[in-house]
Amino acid sequence: MHRSIRLLARRSIHTQRAPADYDVIVIGGGHAGTEACTAAARVGARTLLITQNTDTIGEMSCNPSFGGVGKGVLVREIDALDGVCGRISDLSGIQFKVLNRSKGPAVYGPRAQIDRKLYKRHLQEYLKTYPNLTIRSGSVADLVLSKGETEAEHQAIKERGAISTVQGIRLDNGQTLRAPNIVITTGTFLGGEIHLGLKVWPAGRIGENPSIGLSKSLRDAGFKLARLKTGTPPRLDGRTINYEGLEIQRGDDPPMPFSYLHKTVPYADQQILCHQTRTNPQVHQYIEQNFDQSIHIRETVKGPRYCPSLESKIKRFRDKSGHTIWLEPEGLDTPIVYPNGISNTMPEDVQLNFLRMVKGLENVDMTMPAYGVEYDHVDPRELRSTLETKRISGLFLAGQINGTTGYEEAAAQGIIAGINAGLLALNRPPFILDRSDAYIGVLIDDLITKGVEEPYRVFTSRSEYRLLLRSDNADLRLTQKGYEAGVVKEERWQQHDQTAKSLAEAIDALEGMRMSVTAWFKEGIMTGRQKVNDNGILRCGLDMLMRPDVSLQALFSSVPVLNQLDETLRERLLIEGQYKPYLKRQEAEVAALKRDENLKLDVNLDYSKLTQISTEVRHKLADVRPETLGAAKRIEGMTPAAMVVLMRHVRRAGRSQDIPPTQQPELLSETA
């Protein structure tokens, strides 16, 4: 009912305005922008991607890799929603490796070393012919906003909890492009400033202009902007590196693709080698002596804690005699090497001097110095779970503008913002992922409820449901949701449908075969010497996979359907069996979580009237304006007493849209 009213209100605003040039405009051609524009276009919205230079679309500004611990799950979730970065990484990957193999499937971290040129080329070719998508160059100077041209429009904006609505963008040449939905994905370009030693100049990436007008536009609209910083290491000439004696890191054979659409990757037989070296006390002492030569290391602006600069490592970890440097080739046809782990902002001469103190780099040449970037970001507590801003209807933000760091985090936000901008343009219900659905949901929930004080990155430890949110099952968790929302194409849906049916058939066959442990033993499936205890309880084939002395292959003769599965599906089936009781437990916990998540809070709620709640907590609630009771619970500083007051308010207001009113009193009284 309420959703229908909102959609009608939105439609009335659109019909009374001048015709839009596009349904959705995406600003910025980085990883958030490319996911956002393709997602909006897949939904069916007429979409424009506008960026300062179309030749830099898909540029990998920092490390030439995708994935890693936590991040690799994000890439697979994006792919499950028919996103772009996973499939392009497969086409461009030159080394694939699953991190954390020894720690279990819940924390597997798929990662790929990428050829920069191939990634950019494949992505640009992919976007050129994308349906519903137009690409053009241009610099955005301002947002075109409206508080409503009629009383009806003004009321519709107010009912959504906003103070104005977006109508389009104004370019620096004065041209106006009209669209009811705008997605800003400016990365480090928003008020960007390069730091190299004591030199400072405006730029979002070395050699490219920042976006200054948008920063002013957002400030004028009332958004809270703050500064964050990041950095990138120097680039080295691999021909001047002595690899003898350095530790070698090889890729997996066979490599595991990111995309569920791919069985293998083009360069499976040409995977490159990476090498490991380390800094040393001489390096640390030399850099410390030159701390006064860098403006970037000041502590007034926060950098990424989990990917810190070399200067920060030396200051913070004085007990360590060395820090790891991974020497990662940037492509198949280039000598350039990326030294992962030593981003810094020292002057060029200092950089070259300390590099030549490192084993293997005694005669190294730099092709580009390291540098730092300081940039504006918006307080992400200004956002809804769709990544639409609460303040301005139709304005979405994604990527580093929300205080995150990393390609994967940016791409994850981009696909959600793009989907929802497209759905809103077409007057369709929003697409929301919660903490139990995906790491994407964890990422967004953390941002919009807690905000950021330093660049945010995803870790598996941030999720309370790691066993459910694995890298292997992202398609089972998300592809059907995406298909129902209209963002997954038919090709992927058909492939997913076949995969889901094959897995379901195999699980049914395993669960349908029940015997005592003694009977299973007589079948010869137990390969070890583990003691067999038979208490008479019948156990299915899936139960038997929990035993360390039972392999999936041992069940092939007893359950013939297993022979029809490929190696990837067999591994997924084995994980389901090994974790069966733990998965059931987490599924029960998720069901309990959903009860709170489904209790809606009015975004226009006047928290000053809830006088039973402390002033401090009321201020936090007013700042964040959580959309659900579950989101309110996760705001830092929330107290049990405040939660009880909110629950009682929801019960009295009868605001829950998903739980029938007859069930609310019982649920709330139990929780209270």
Side-chain angles (χ1 to χ4, degrees):
M1 174 70 176
H2 298 290
R3 180 180 288 161
S4 299
I5 292 173
R6 287 198 300 270
L7 293 179
L8 284 171
R10 178 78 179 183
R11 188 178 294 119
S12 71
I13 294 175
H14 288 183
T15 55
Q16 293 179 45
R17 292 182 187 154
D21 299 302
Y22 301 95
D23 297 319
V24 176
I25 295 176
V26 177
I27 304 170
H31 303 293
T34 51
E35 293 295 346
C37 70
T38 49
R42 281 198 306 282
V43 168
R46 296 174 302 130
T47 305
L48 170 68
L49 172 63
I50 186 165
T51 183
Q52 292 187 28
N53 183 356
T54 57
D55 291 336
T56 61
I57 290 174
E59 189 77 58
M60 304 185 85
S61 304
C62 195
N63 55 313
S65 67
F66 257 96
V69 178
K71 291 171 174 281
V73 186
L74 286 179
V75 177
R76 299 217 88 195
E77 291 177 348
I78 293 165
D79 184 72
L81 294 170
D82 225 358
V84 174
C85 63
R87 68 179 82 192
I88 302 299
S89 292
D90 287 347
L91 296 177
S92 318
I94 52 178
Q95 191 199 77
F96 291 79
K97 192 172 187 65
V98 177
L99 308 182
N100 277 354
R101 275 282 189 190
S102 62
K103 297 183 179 179
V107 291
Y108 281 177
R111 184 182 187 273
Q113 196 71 23
I114 306 295
D115 184 306
R116 287 185 189 275
K117 293 179 185 175
L118 286 175
Y119 189 91
K120 189 161 71 168
R121 189 184 82 199
H122 284 305
L123 181 58
Q124 291 183 11
E125 288 175 353
Y126 187 70
L127 297 185
K128 277 179 184 175
T129 57
Y130 211 85
N132 298 323
L133 178 62
T134 302
I135 300 174
R136 64 164 289 181
S137 60
S139 182
V140 179
D142 203 356
L143 297 172
V144 180
L145 306 177
S146 171
K147 294 190 176 182
E149 297 170 7
T150 67
E151 182 57 33
E153 288 184 12
H154 180 69
Q155 250 340 95
I157 294 168
K158 189 176 178 182
E159 284 175 12
R160 300 195 78 244
I163 59 174
S164 60
T165 187
V166 73
Q167 290 187 324
I169 57 174
R170 187 172 294 110
L171 307 185
D172 60 359
N173 64 6
Q175 182 183 5
T176 296
L177 299 174
R178 302 182 68 86
N181 299 281
I182 306 294
V183 185
I184 301 179
T185 67
T186 44
T188 58
F189 284 75
L190 194 69
E193 184 179 89
I194 296 284
H195 296 166
L196 179 54
L198 297 176
K199 295 184 288 187
V200 178
W201 69 94
R205 189 162 50 210
I206 204 158
E208 297 182 50
N209 293 328
S211 176
I212 302 299
L214 271 180
S215 279
K216 182 179 184 303
S217 199
L218 291 169
R219 278 197 179 89
D220 291 346
F223 287 100
K224 300 174 184 175
L225 268 63
R227 300 287 278 178
L228 288 174
K229 64 183 179 182
T230 187
T232 191
R235 306 302 190 265
L236 311 181
D237 185 339
R239 295 167 296 190
T240 62
I241 296 174
N242 179 12
Y243 292 104
E244 187 175 344
L246 300 185
E247 182 180 330
I248 295 174
Q249 183 189 55
R250 302 179 189 276
D252 292 341
D253 186 18
M256 187 185 83
F258 278 121
S259 179
Y260 290 97
L261 295 177
H262 299 155
K263 298 296 183 185
T264 186
V265 296
Y267 301 101
D269 299 326
Q270 297 173 250
Q271 294 193 71
I272 51 93
L273 298 177
C274 294
H275 294 79
Q276 180 184 350
T277 185
R278 293 179 67 80
T279 61
N280 54 58
Q282 183 186 7
V283 171
H284 298 181
Q285 183 180 6
Y286 178 70
I287 290 177
E288 196 160 6
Q289 289 171 352
N290 286 278
F291 274 168
D292 62 340
Q293 297 299 305
S294 173
I295 191 173
H296 196 73
I297 62 174
R298 61 189 176 183
E299 296 299 326
T300 52
V301 177
K302 295 287 187 180
R305 187 197 313 182
Y306 302 106
C307 184
S309 67
L310 184 56
E311 301 99 317
S312 296
K313 290 178 183 178
I314 293 169
K315 290 179 70 175
R316 195 183 307 164
F317 307 110
R318 294 186 179 276
D319 57 323
K320 291 193 175 294
S321 61
H323 298 284
T324 299
I325 305 172
W326 288 107
L327 301 174
E328 302 172 343
E330 293 206 344
L332 295 173
D333 64 350
T334 176
I336 298 176
V337 169
Y338 179 92
N340 197 336
I342 54 169
S343 69
N344 71 93
T345 57
M346 289 286 136
E348 291 101 318
D349 60 330
V350 174
Q351 291 186 39
L352 187 59
N353 288 341
F354 86 69
L355 282 168
R356 290 181 173 176
M357 298 174 186
V358 175
K359 181 180 178 180
L361 307 183
E362 293 87 352
N363 299 302
V364 78
D365 288 332
M366 284 194 312
T367 62
M368 187 186 84
Y371 63 90
V373 187
E374 192 176 292
Y375 56 94
D376 287 337
H377 79 96
V378 172
D379 184 344
R381 291 174 296 183
E382 295 262 15
L383 304 173
R384 304 175 189 271
S385 50
T386 58
L387 296 183
E388 183 186 18
T389 64
K390 298 168 185 172
R391 185 178 299 273
I392 299 177
S393 177
L395 179 64
F396 295 78
L397 309 179
Q400 285 176 291
I401 191 174
N402 292 334
T404 60
T405 181
Y407 305 153
E408 303 83 1
E409 287 85 352
Q413 294 169 73
I415 197 169
I416 295 301
I419 291 171
N420 282 297
L423 292 174
L424 191 55
L426 301 175
N427 297 307
R428 283 154 55 185
F431 182 80
I432 296 171
L433 297 177
D434 64 33
R435 299 183 71 88
S436 64
D437 291 324
Y439 274 95
I440 297 176
V442 174
L443 161 67
I444 292 173
D445 185 71
D446 281 349
L447 291 176
I448 67 176
T449 59
K450 300 174 183 176
V452 295
E453 292 187 357
E454 61 188 21
Y456 177 101
R457 70 150 289 177
V458 160
F459 287 106
T460 52
S461 58
R462 293 193 189 272
S463 171
E464 54 272 60
Y465 303 113
R466 291 190 291 279
L467 287 180
L468 294 178
L469 308 184
R470 306 186 308 274
S471 61
D472 66 279
N473 69 352
D475 58 339
L476 295 180
R477 292 185 277 115
L478 300 179
T479 301
Q480 183 170 344
K481 291 177 183 290
Y483 185 69
E484 291 169 353
V487 75
V488 169
K489 293 180 181 177
E490 198 62 35
E491 176 197 358
R492 181 178 294 271
W493 173 250
Q494 293 299 331
Q495 187 265 0
H496 164 74
D497 192 44
Q498 184 56 52
T499 296
K501 285 177 180 176
S502 297
L503 282 172
E505 184 181 356
I507 289 173
D508 288 345
L510 284 169
E511 290 185 329
M513 191 166 187
R514 293 180 173 273
M515 293 187 281
S516 66
V517 174
T518 301
W520 280 113
F521 182 76
K522 290 178 180 178
E523 285 280 319
I525 71 161
M526 300 176 192
T527 58
R529 297 176 177 271
Q530 187 170 335
K531 184 178 179 182
V532 177
N533 293 317
D534 192 346
N535 55 10
I537 297 175
L538 299 182
R539 288 176 169 80
C540 70
L542 209 59
D543 293 329
M544 297 307 294
L545 288 176
M546 289 186 287
R547 295 180 60 97
D549 59 347
V550 175
S551 68
L552 190 65
Q553 287 76 8
L555 292 166
F556 282 4
S557 59
S558 303
V559 189
V561 71
L562 301 181
N563 291 283
Q564 301 170 19
L565 301 180
D566 63 29
E567 197 57 42
T568 302
L569 292 185
R570 288 175 185 174
E571 183 177 1
R572 293 175 65 170
L573 186 63
L574 183 61
I575 293 169
E576 290 291 332
Q578 290 175 334
Y579 285 88
K580 181 184 175 186
Y582 310 104
L583 294 174
K584 286 189 177 295
R585 188 181 309 158
Q586 284 209 342
E587 285 166 358
E589 291 171 358
V590 167
L593 169 77
K594 294 283 189 183
R595 295 185 302 178
D596 280 357
E597 291 293 343
N598 286 336
L599 292 170
K600 306 292 183 183
L601 289 170
D602 184 359
V603 292
N604 290 318
L605 181 59
D606 185 355
Y607 288 101
S608 66
K609 294 182 178 178
L610 300 181
T611 53
Q612 307 97 316
I613 298 176
S614 72
T615 302
E616 180 186 1
V617 172
R618 272 185 281 149
H619 285 163
K620 289 183 176 181
L621 287 166
D623 284 342
V624 176
R625 298 208 162 274
E627 298 170 282
T628 67
L629 208 60
K633 186 194 298 183
R634 289 185 290 277
I635 295 174
E636 190 174 349
M638 279 298 293
T639 63
M643 288 305 301
V644 170
V645 173
L646 281 179
M647 288 178 190
R648 287 173 180 164
H649 175 82
V650 172
R651 179 173 57 187
R652 285 195 301 268
R655 292 290 186 187
S656 175
Q657 296 180 7
D658 299 299
I659 300 177
T662 54
Q663 295 179 17
Q664 289 178 30
E666 181 182 358
L667 170 64
L668 290 169
S669 60
E670 285 176 2
T671 311

